[in-house]
Amino acid sequence: MENDFFYSLGEAAEKLVSSKGIIRIISHNDCDGITAAAILVKALKRLEMSFVVSFVKNLTNDVIKELSYESYENVVFLDLGSSSLEYIGNLLKDRNVFVFDHHHFIETGFNGIFINPLAFNVDGETGISAAGISYLLAKTIDTENIDSAYLAIIGAVGDMQENKGFSGLNRLILEDSLSHIEIKTGLRLFGYQTRPLHKILEYSTEIFIPGVTGDEKGSISFLQNLDIPLQDKLGKYRKLSNLTSDEIKRLVGGIILERMKDEKSDPEDVLGNIYLLKNEKEDGIYKDLREFSTLLNACARLNKASIGLGVCLNDSQSKEQANEVLANYKIEIINSLNWFHKNRKTGRIIELENLTIINAEEYIKDTLIGTTASILSKSNIYKSGTIIIAMAHTVDGFTKISARISGNGKEISLRNILQDVIKIVGGQTGGHENAAGAVISQEKDDQFITEVKNYLGKIEQVA
Ligand code: C5P
């Protein structure tokens, strides 16, 4: 069915290129949405076509209604739209509408252009992101746009599609990006280029190291025991990228040994591919694609997506502003995690056998609740397979819900769970098997919690 997908993409490209007037782009406010928009913007600029871009957290009916009041002839949805096809079709029926998305969709008689890999039996969960679709579209328009392939890979990384390499169409896109991206094998630790070594280990939640993760003193003595100096001769803290190959070997061995104390660990998780941008400077935040994607997510979560867009378009002022955004983001994340740890024994955090519900209300920003849930799901705090449902209030009377699963529990579909519960409670929902979200009105918080507990209780009884 991949052929049909490419055929439809070709038709979409033709229609987009022949559109008259301004192209109105609405994209998702996250790393994948920002990179998807950047790729399309670059392609439109090459064609000397005009465009207007904005980013939204969720495509609510109100957003679609507002678009219908605008007079743009051509409307492009990126990384969203799949769950609102009917409403989009009704409200924007006289326009040229394009939806490029990889989220789960509901079959309707939508008469705009709808490009979603899932509609062609092509993997859109981990095989391609919205940035990937935007890239393939751009490449169909003009092969010169191959210079945007690396942005599509950043989008895929941001959507957690990299798992010991890429799969599906992302593999093809990665091939296209190799003039920009260099792939190395290394420790799958975050902050390879930018953070002091002992800090990398302290903040290593993806590879949990008992006695080291979350413990600065533990991290320092771990390195001392491995005979790896923290500082160089000038007293500067060393980074992972400064270590000799012998030191790296000792570090890898040490981490694997330490992790073997924990029965849940898999030695293979420690090493993996590291994707680096060839043209970026060694110790910059744009060198490692995972850091780059975090930066874009940071921009999105602090409502500065346009800075992220500027960064992708290589605008030097945006790149400067992004440094500040990243610093603020780190502070916000630390505050959220501190709140979680302080409140674990209070009624705000419900910890059951295979389910944790974090009812953060206004104590964690709604834009950071998904990240907080993701970090917790990777941190070995909860045993593998535990469902983490985190809730935070928005400023306008709603509750943002993020669901994640701890460890590698793949058999459960979080999207289906939220969908079933939201059917009872009311609200909007969507997402993927292992990362889903929803929005409900705040007065439904208690009912939602009760229904989630009921629903999962029933599944367990059956299992
Ligand atoms: O916001 P969060 O990171 O928890 O979202 C996880 C996934 O669920 C994303 O793919 C997002 O697009 C989707 N989602 C959704 N509707 C919502 C919230 C999230 O489709 N109301």
Side-chain angles (χ1 to χ4, degrees), residues 239-255:
K239 294 170 188 149
L240 200 47
S241 51
N242 301 136
L243 298 195
T244 64
S245 58
D246 259 5
E247 285 174 323
I248 291 270
K249 273 185 207 145
R250 285 209 296 281
L251 183 61
V252 172
I255 291 176

Side-chain angles (χ1 to χ4, degrees), residues 28 58 103 370 400-404 428-432 435-439:
H28 190 200
N58 292 301
H103 291 97
K400 167 76 205 325
I401 296 162
S402 283
R404 300 290 188 273
Q428 182 271 329
T429 182
H432 307 274
V439 177

Side-chain angles (χ1 to χ4, degrees), residues 119-133:
F120 299 88
N121 266 334
V122 172
D123 177 16
E125 283 281 339
T126 52
I128 189 166
S129 68
I133 302 167

Side-chain angles (χ1 to χ4, degrees), residues 371-389:
T371 312
T372 309
S374 290
I375 293 173
L376 295 175
S377 73
K378 289 175 190 156
S379 68
N380 276 27
I381 290 178
Y382 297 112
K383 71 173 195 289
S384 185
T386 305
I387 293 171
I388 299 171
I389 296 198

Side-chain angles (χ1 to χ4, degrees), residues 198-448:
H198 65 286
K199 282 284 165 198
I200 294 184
L201 297 179
E202 181 191 343
Y203 288 117
S204 160
T205 50
E206 210 160 315
I207 304 175
F208 186 82
I209 315 166
V212 175
T213 303
D215 180 348
E216 187 177 20
K217 279 194 195 129
S219 167
I220 292 173
S221 67
F222 174 70
L223 287 166
Q224 284 166 342
N225 289 340
L226 291 173
D227 207 12
I228 298 175
L230 266 72
Q231 290 158 317
D232 64 16
K233 287 192 184 105
L234 300 170
K236 231 174 112 186
Y237 281 116
R238 299 172 81 203
K239 294 170 188 149
L240 200 47
S241 51
N242 301 136
L243 298 195
T244 64
S245 58
D246 259 5
E247 285 174 323
I248 291 270
K249 273 185 207 145
R250 285 209 296 281
L251 183 61
V252 172
I255 291 176
I256 291 177
L257 274 180
E258 210 55 45
R259 277 169 53 86
M260 277 164 72
K261 294 180 185 160
D262 180 346
E263 56 181 77
K264 289 168 266 175
S265 78
D266 176 355
E268 292 210 352
D269 286 343
V270 175
L271 289 171
N273 285 345
I274 294 171
Y275 303 87
L276 303 173
L277 281 179
K278 291 180 182 169
N279 294 336
E280 290 292 339
K281 65 175 195 303
E282 277 308 317
D283 54 357
I285 44 176
Y286 302 106
K287 186 76 183 170
D288 183 331
L289 260 51
R290 280 202 296 163
E291 289 191 60
F292 200 139
S293 75
T294 301
L295 175 100
L296 295 182
N297 272 323
C299 291
R301 308 244 153 86
L302 299 187
N303 288 324
K304 304 261 190 296
S306 54
I307 294 181
L309 180 63
V311 165
C312 293
L313 298 175
N314 220 0
D315 171 61
S316 51
Q317 198 187 347
S318 301
K319 280 184 150 181
E320 255 170 52
Q321 290 169 323
N323 274 317
E324 203 178 311
V325 174
L326 195 59
N328 289 336
Y329 179 66
K330 282 180 188 159
I331 293 169
E332 295 274 1
I333 295 282
I334 289 167
N335 289 345
S336 303
L337 291 173
N338 283 344
W339 180 87
F340 164 81
H341 287 294
K342 274 198 199 123
N343 285 277
R344 268 188 86 179
K345 300 284 168 250
T346 70
R348 292 185 188 282
I349 296 173
I350 304 164
E351 296 185 328
L352 303 172
E353 179 60 17
N354 286 315
L355 169 69
T356 291
I357 302 174
I358 302 164
N359 188 9
E361 296 183 345
E362 67 280 4
Y363 294 100
I364 295 180
K365 274 199 169 101
D366 61 310
T367 48
L368 293 176
I369 197 73
T371 312
T372 309
S374 290
I375 293 173
L376 295 175
S377 73
K378 289 175 190 156
S379 68
N380 276 27
I381 290 178
Y382 297 112
K383 71 173 195 289
S384 185
T386 305
I387 293 171
I388 299 171
I389 296 198
M391 307 160 63
H393 286 172
T394 69
V395 286
D396 51 359
F398 292 95
T399 297
K400 167 76 205 325
I401 296 162
S402 283
R404 300 290 188 273
I405 192 142
S406 182
N408 311 313
K410 262 241 158 177
E411 326 70 61
I412 299 170
S413 168
L414 296 177
R415 183 184 59 232
N416 291 350
I417 293 171
L418 285 189
Q419 220 168 42
D420 289 346
V421 173
I422 292 301
K423 256 186 223 151
I424 306 169
V425 177
Q428 182 271 329
T429 182
H432 307 274
E433 306 284 292
N434 48 9
V439 177
I440 59 173
S441 71
Q442 270 164 31
E443 63 263 26
K444 298 286 177 102
D445 282 0
D446 290 341
Q447 191 197 354
F448 173 81

Side-chain angles (χ1 to χ4, degrees), residues 135-204:
Y135 167 68
L136 293 177
L137 173 80
K139 190 181 162 192
T140 310
I141 293 173
D142 181 348
T143 48
E144 290 260 314
N145 289 319
I146 203 164
D147 63 358
S148 291
Y150 76 96
L151 288 171
I153 295 299
I154 295 172
V157 169
D159 255 16
M160 298 188 273
Q161 294 192 332
E162 198 274 346
N163 183 14
K164 294 176 189 155
F166 286 99
S167 62
L169 292 171
N170 277 330
R171 273 209 180 131
L172 295 180
I173 301 172
L174 184 66
E175 295 236 330
D176 282 356
S177 74
L178 292 179
S179 56
H180 285 94
I181 294 176
E182 161 190 16
I183 308 170
K184 280 189 180 169
T185 306
L187 269 164
R188 295 196 326 117
L189 290 172
F190 185 82
Y192 217 86
Q193 314 287 329
T194 51
R195 287 189 186 173
L197 184 55
H198 65 286
K199 282 284 165 198
I200 294 184
L201 297 179
E202 181 191 343
Y203 288 117
S204 160

